[in-house]
Amino acid sequence: MAAAAILNGERVVVVLFIGLVLFSLPLSLLLQGVALSLLALSALFIEIRAEDDASSSSSLSLFKTRPGASSGIFLGAVTLPVVMLSKLIQLSRALSLRQVPLEELEYLTMQYWATSASSLSVLVFLCMVIWRSPDHTRPPYSRSIMDAKLSLSGTVLFAVVCCVSIAATSHTRFHAVLRLLWVLLHGLAAVKLIQHVLSTFPSCASIGEALLVTAGIVLYFGDMLACTIAKVTGYLISLELVSVQYGVKRSEIGIIIQGVLLGLLLFPMVFKFVLRIWECSSSSAHSESRTYEIGKSLIFFASLGFILIVIIPSWMQFAQDFSVHPFLWVISFVFSEPLKRLSLCMYWVCVIYVSVLRFYNISKNSKIERILLRKYYHLMAVSMFLPALIFQPKFLDLAFGAALAVFLVIEIIRVWRIWPLGQLVHQFMNAFTDHRDSDLLIVSHFSLLLGCALPIWMSSGFNDRPLAPFAGILSLGIGDTMASMVGHKYGVLRWSKTGKKTIEGTAAGITSMLAACSILLPLLASTGYIFTQHWLSLLLAVTVCGLLEAYTAQLDNAFIPLVFYSLLCL
């Protein structure tokens, strides 16, 4: 196999990305760096087998992935662990200056091992799928044995490093065992979830994209469960026996967002269960189509209201000790600065109304390519989020959570065709889809919103890199938009013979991001931020993101902001 075929453009950029993070590691995080290296080598090895070996391709073909996309296993497996490691590097600087407590570093360390275990478990699962290929396509026996030895060696070494690291930071053996069990449960949950995602939503995502989503959801669910366990065990036994010490102070906004989003992710299963009970108990459920649709709609909205008003707020009050109902807390928070926050809401509503109405008419009556039309929404995101992030960052956190909740409800209504809005929403959303969306699931608007929101959410608490929260807005709203527009209009020199990305577009994206940073830094300085980012490191971060946008076949809205955020934290 030729070296050029093994190290294609996307893999080279990912290796460079990982190398920059490992180069910035302090000695205190050496074990985490070794574990990341093992994870990256395993992911690269499996992706090569999955894409370049005919037998592996046939064995992984049982997953109906997004057409036209590569497997993305390497990028998907390392992205979240690298994000967590970058945060650890940032917190280690703060710990050396005594600006954060040790518990916060331990909390993030557990998140790192949980995320890495999720990625490694999925990689082991993919290896097993490859080995179980049909006899007539199975690789030669000697190579199969070599694959097994390499994969087993990498898994064992990773487990040893993980055990040593957790044992070194645990107070007792009991602590260490429970923490290792906690990490293992994340891995098992990730394997089950990615199987469910790929089977339930065929042709909606590549394996790498599904792996990123799976690891993120498992980490989010695990964090919520750990918070609940810590709260319960705090009442039942002494704090010294808490297996996962999640004693980090949580904000009310973070708890509200976490509860609402996870409740909405679980809601389709609840609705499906209630709907089946109703169908079994009602003999006339299918006798009249209109009656059935109305009944289904009533059950949907009643179940949704019960979860949002009763179930989710009950957990919030238990986890955070709200003195009032969480939704009343939100109202009081908004009206604590009514002029600024209500004016911002009115500005957002006006921008959304004018932009959506204008772009919807253009999409129906114009021959402009969908990919370019959608870039206008990236610019709209910049105009909406940039002022709010500078002057009202906490309110923007809450607004992102509310917007994502609305998107989830709308998508559930569209997928289930809930009367009377389901069909109308489906027709409206189809006006903005492109080749990356499927008839079953439309994900582009989710990825754009999350791409802007995640760097902001992850920057809560200690943050000594003022540009880090702007990673999504800069990379998607400025860099990706300019790269697409300039590349489409003026691009001549292509990065590859089969791809559409051009060198001119990539150069425009990198230049525009650097220009935006040079304008943004004086604004941040005027609000009290202290600039601690070296221009050389900023140039490297912007360049890596520009090259990743040029080479990757994955959903760039999901990966590029996380990569840029990780590099800005170093």
Side-chain angles (χ1 to χ4, degrees), residues 450-521:
L450 282 172
C452 294
L454 285 177
I456 299 173
W457 287 342
M458 290 186 295
S459 297
S460 60
F462 175 80
N463 177 44
D464 61 349
R465 296 292 185 259
L467 286 178
F470 297 86
I473 298 174
L474 291 172
S475 60
L476 298 181
I478 304 296
D480 186 41
T481 301
M482 292 302 297
S484 294
M485 291 184 172
V486 172
H488 181 266
K489 190 170 184 179
Y490 303 105
V492 176
L493 303 174
R494 300 189 183 277
W495 285 103
S496 64
K497 296 180 180 179
T498 56
K500 296 182 179 180
K501 304 296 179 66
T502 63
I503 296 177
E504 294 87 348
T506 301
I510 294 173
T511 305
S512 62
M513 288 175 66
L514 289 174
C517 290
S518 65
I519 297 173
L520 184 60
L521 288 174

Side-chain angles (χ1 to χ4, degrees), residues 261-332:
L261 295 185
L262 291 179
L264 289 176
L265 288 174
L266 291 173
F267 171 71
M269 292 186 290
V270 176
F271 173 62
K272 187 176 181 179
F273 176 73
V274 174
L275 188 62
R276 283 184 177 178
I277 295 177
W278 176 68
E279 290 175 347
C280 293
S281 61
S282 176
S283 58
S284 60
H286 296 279
S287 59
E288 297 181 14
S289 176
R290 176 63 65 179
T291 303
Y292 174 75
E293 291 298 325
I294 293 176
K296 177 182 173 182
S297 177
L298 291 175
I299 291 175
F300 175 86
F301 289 108
S303 303
L304 181 63
F306 181 74
I307 287 179
L308 290 179
I309 297 174
V310 178
I311 302 297
I312 294 175
S314 298
W315 176 82
M316 293 177 191
Q317 289 179 305
F318 173 76
Q320 188 65 24
D321 296 326
F322 282 91
S323 58
V324 296
H325 193 281
F327 290 156
L328 294 178
W329 185 92
V330 170
I331 293 174
S332 65

Side-chain angles (χ1 to χ4, degrees), residues 29-337:
L29 298 176
L30 180 61
L31 290 177
Q32 285 83 351
V34 172
L36 177 63
S37 302
L38 293 171
L39 179 66
L41 289 173
S42 300
L44 179 59
F45 171 77
I46 293 173
E47 180 175 279
I48 291 171
R49 280 283 180 263
E51 292 187 357
D52 300 334
D53 190 85
S55 64
S56 299
S57 298
S58 63
S59 61
L60 290 180
S61 63
L62 60 94
F63 303 121
K64 295 181 180 179
T65 57
R66 182 164 60 85
S70 59
S71 68
I73 296 172
F74 187 27
L75 179 60
V78 302
T79 298
L80 273 185
V82 172
V83 170
M84 294 301 163
L85 188 57
S86 297
K87 285 290 293 180
L88 280 173
I89 294 173
Q90 190 178 48
L91 280 185
S92 66
R93 293 195 299 265
L95 187 65
S96 64
L97 299 175
R98 297 183 179 180
Q99 294 179 337
V100 296
L102 180 62
E103 290 79 12
E104 193 164 341
L105 189 67
E106 291 181 351
Y107 160 74
L108 194 61
T109 301
M110 285 300 299
Q111 284 196 316
Y112 169 78
W113 288 119
T115 306
S116 300
S118 298
S119 295
L120 186 69
S121 299
V122 173
L123 293 178
V124 172
F125 165 70
L126 294 176
C127 263
M128 294 174 64
V129 172
I130 292 174
W131 293 340
R132 290 178 181 178
S133 59
D135 290 338
H136 64 279
T137 60
R138 185 169 294 167
Y141 180 76
S142 59
R143 196 178 69 187
S144 179
I145 294 297
M146 182 186 68
D147 289 355
K149 289 181 178 180
L150 289 174
S151 302
L152 183 61
S153 300
T155 304
V156 170
L157 286 174
F158 180 90
V160 169
V161 173
C162 179
C163 291
V164 171
S165 175
I166 291 179
T169 56
S170 299
H171 302 290
T172 64
R173 293 182 180 178
F174 182 64
H175 264 153
V177 171
L178 287 179
R179 289 184 174 187
L180 287 172
L181 180 61
W182 184 252
V183 169
L184 178 62
L185 289 176
H186 277 76
L188 296 176
V191 172
K192 293 295 294 183
L193 184 59
I194 196 170
Q195 289 178 280
H196 176 74
V197 168
L198 291 174
S199 61
T200 306
F201 304 106
S203 304
C204 292
S206 67
I207 295 178
E209 293 163 357
L211 204 164
L212 179 69
V213 171
T214 296
I217 291 177
V218 168
L219 184 68
Y220 214 39
F221 267 101
D223 184 71
M224 183 176 182
L225 181 60
C227 180
T228 308
I229 292 174
K231 198 74 173 181
V232 172
T233 53
Y235 297 131
L236 298 180
I237 57 178
S238 64
L239 289 176
E240 285 77 15
L241 295 181
V242 177
S243 60
V244 185
Q245 294 182 358
Y246 278 58
V248 179
K249 180 175 174 57
R250 296 163 182 268
S251 67
E252 290 85 355
I253 293 176
I255 288 290
I256 290 172
I257 294 174
Q258 191 174 37
V260 171
L261 295 185
L262 291 179
L264 289 176
L265 288 174
L266 291 173
F267 171 71
M269 292 186 290
V270 176
F271 173 62
K272 187 176 181 179
F273 176 73
V274 174
L275 188 62
R276 283 184 177 178
I277 295 177
W278 176 68
E279 290 175 347
C280 293
S281 61
S282 176
S283 58
S284 60
H286 296 279
S287 59
E288 297 181 14
S289 176
R290 176 63 65 179
T291 303
Y292 174 75
E293 291 298 325
I294 293 176
K296 177 182 173 182
S297 177
L298 291 175
I299 291 175
F300 175 86
F301 289 108
S303 303
L304 181 63
F306 181 74
I307 287 179
L308 290 179
I309 297 174
V310 178
I311 302 297
I312 294 175
S314 298
W315 176 82
M316 293 177 191
Q317 289 179 305
F318 173 76
Q320 188 65 24
D321 296 326
F322 282 91
S323 58
V324 296
H325 193 281
F327 290 156
L328 294 178
W329 185 92
V330 170
I331 293 174
S332 65
F333 173 77
V334 172
F335 282 93
S336 62
E337 296 184 25

Side-chain angles (χ1 to χ4, degrees), residues 337-379:
E337 296 184 25
L339 182 61
K340 295 179 180 179
R341 290 169 181 171
L342 292 180
S343 299
L344 193 59
C345 289
M346 293 176 61
Y347 168 69
W348 286 342
V349 170
C350 292
V351 171
I352 291 172
Y353 177 78
V354 173
S355 301
V356 170
L357 186 65
R358 174 63 176 166
F359 297 157
Y360 182 70
N361 292 331
I362 292 176
S363 68
K364 293 193 301 182
N365 305 320
S366 175
K367 296 182 180 180
I368 297 178
E369 288 191 22
R370 289 282 176 89
I371 187 64
L372 289 181
L373 183 63
R374 288 152 61 99
K375 297 305 174 184
Y376 289 113
Y377 281 99
H378 290 215
L379 294 177

Side-chain angles (χ1 to χ4, degrees), residues 219 409 425 566:
L219 184 68
V409 172
V425 171
S566 301

